[in-house]
Amino acid sequence: MKTLYLECSMGAAGDMLTAALLELLPNPQAFLDKMNSLPLPEVHVSAFSMEKCGLAGTHVQVIVHGEEEESEDMPDSAAHEHSGEEHVHHHHPHHTGLQDIQKLVGTFDLPEAVKKDILAVYDLLAEAESHAHGRPVSQIHFHEVGSLDAVADITGVCLLLHALAPERIVASPVHVGSGQVHCAHGILPVPAPATAYLLRGIPIYGGSVRGELCTPTGAALLRYFVSEFCGMPVMRVLKIGCGMGRKDFAAANCVRAMLGETAESSEEIVELRCNLDDMTPEALGFAQERLLVGGALDVFTTPIGMKKNRPAVLLTCLCKPGQREKMLSLLFRYTATLGVRETCCRRYMLSRTSRTVSTAYGQVGIKTASGWGVQHSKAEYEDLARIARERGCSLAEARELIAKDL
């Protein structure tokens, strides 16, 4: 599986993520040309080599009205209400709201999927600022420089991820820094309120590094794109990118992005089994129902023969390790068994997705399973059955009717 791993041991900011992902592209200049062709007024994006603690990487610079943010390591969503950042601007500020950002993104010559991602990340930022300052999203406004800088960063990351197309994105726990940060309204703790809100439920930690390492933009991008926060998975790394920040610390101030291949999805499961020869079919069916309602991954029976040539069934319940105690309790409660056997297994799975397509016969749900070098797709049974009833045909004929639309 094509996997992207983001190492956030020095936090995450929009420009650092952009630079790290940029190093994974075969043609970085094409990306920069595309960014600079977008209708972002007086914005110029460039990239150049930078070294931190002997580690070579790339720094992405976003110039707005001829100047760069004072520090990319400060929050770059730059809401007017501020979430802990300190910006110095040398022009008359102009404030824009979320609707203005939406209109601006709508003018971009980019794939619709990329524009959708950009707006989704901005929605997260606006929600976080709204929560932090106790104001409706409609009242959240962004500084012109801060907002355009953030739009460039967010657009860059969304465009790069669209080009790289990883099937899975994993990140390390996020280092947020420590201490306090100055803002227009005073001094706030690290992580700043908006950043903390965006990182809720995500493993984070502080440390000896003084300063704000994770910005609201970085936090929003991680929250939107990353499916799992954990240690680096076992993977065959093909490319490594280092996105550098401008600030210098004792540790290399960078985000590392590793693109490679991981094994297809697998997980440990528990198989619970018991032999049953003294239950009615109705009681057995009810027990299976209760196990499934209780969260079992699967429940099935197998015909077996027991001592004295008695016909019986082998009841098998598959569950996750954390469900073991609950499933055992249900088995003893709803079956006549006196004992349950346990086997720990590893289950390998195809990745599954669902989508809905429009056909001449109505909406049809399609389930696709892929991985391990194969891909299978099939229509939802209920949708096929509906078409078959309406057309007076068989399921096979209904499947043929919609084949051209799949």
Side-chain angles (χ1 to χ4, degrees), residues 10 73-74 175-181 190 206-213 247-250:
M10 287 298 286
D73 300 311
M74 291 297 156
H175 189 177
V176 297
S178 64
Q180 298 173 320
V181 63
V190 172
S208 60
V209 178
R210 303 287 292 180
E212 188 166 36
L213 301 183
K247 279 191 168 184
D248 291 317
F249 298 102

Side-chain angles (χ1 to χ4, degrees), residues 124 196-202 217-227 229:
L124 289 176
Y197 182 80
L198 287 162
L199 293 175
R200 67 195 189 284
I202 293 172
T217 297
L221 288 163
L222 292 176
R223 184 167 197 89
Y224 181 69
F225 284 109
V226 176
S227 59
F229 291 85

Side-chain angles (χ1 to χ4, degrees), residues 61 115 131 149 156 220 366 400:
Q61 183 180 58
K115 291 194 283 188
H131 180 272
D149 179 77
I366 304 296
E400 291 178 4

Side-chain angles (χ1 to χ4, degrees), residues 133-154:
H133 304 290
R135 299 185 181 183
V137 170
S138 60
Q139 294 182 19
I140 295 298
H141 297 284
F142 300 89
H143 280 303
E144 183 180 27
V145 169
S147 68
L148 290 177
D149 179 77
V151 171
D153 289 338
I154 293 169

Side-chain angles (χ1 to χ4, degrees), residues 95-255:
H95 305 309
T96 55
L98 187 59
Q99 288 187 341
D100 299 302
I101 300 295
Q102 293 168 344
K103 290 178 182 177
L104 176 62
V105 173
T107 65
F108 290 175
D109 179 21
L110 295 174
E112 287 301 318
V114 175
K115 291 194 283 188
K116 178 182 176 182
D117 288 341
I118 296 169
L119 294 178
V121 173
Y122 242 104
D123 284 341
L124 289 176
L125 279 168
E127 178 189 346
E129 296 290 354
S130 172
H131 180 272
H133 304 290
R135 299 185 181 183
V137 170
S138 60
Q139 294 182 19
I140 295 298
H141 297 284
F142 300 89
H143 280 303
E144 183 180 27
V145 169
S147 68
L148 290 177
D149 179 77
V151 171
D153 289 338
I154 293 169
T155 299
V157 172
C158 292
L159 184 57
L160 286 163
L161 287 175
H162 181 75
L164 294 169
E167 298 172 80
R168 178 189 180 202
I169 302 178
V170 182
S172 69
V174 183
H175 189 177
V176 297
S178 64
Q180 298 173 320
V181 63
H182 292 268
C183 75
H185 301 293
I187 300 175
L188 295 175
V190 172
T195 304
Y197 182 80
L198 287 162
L199 293 175
R200 67 195 189 284
I202 293 172
I204 63 175
Y205 62 98
S208 60
V209 178
R210 303 287 292 180
E212 188 166 36
L213 301 183
C214 187
T215 70
T217 297
L221 288 163
L222 292 176
R223 184 167 197 89
Y224 181 69
F225 284 109
V226 176
S227 59
E228 184 179 2
F229 291 85
C230 61
M232 183 179 176
V234 176
M235 62 187 294
R236 184 166 60 92
V237 177
L238 303 177
K239 293 182 179 180
I240 300 175
C242 293
M244 301 299 188
R246 280 196 302 157
K247 279 191 168 184
D248 291 317
F249 298 102
N253 184 23
C254 73
V255 169

Side-chain angles (χ1 to χ4, degrees), residues 365-380:
I366 304 296
K367 294 188 293 188
T368 300
S370 60
W372 300 93
V374 301
Q375 179 169 306
H376 306 297
S377 295
K378 68 176 183 178
E380 291 281 2

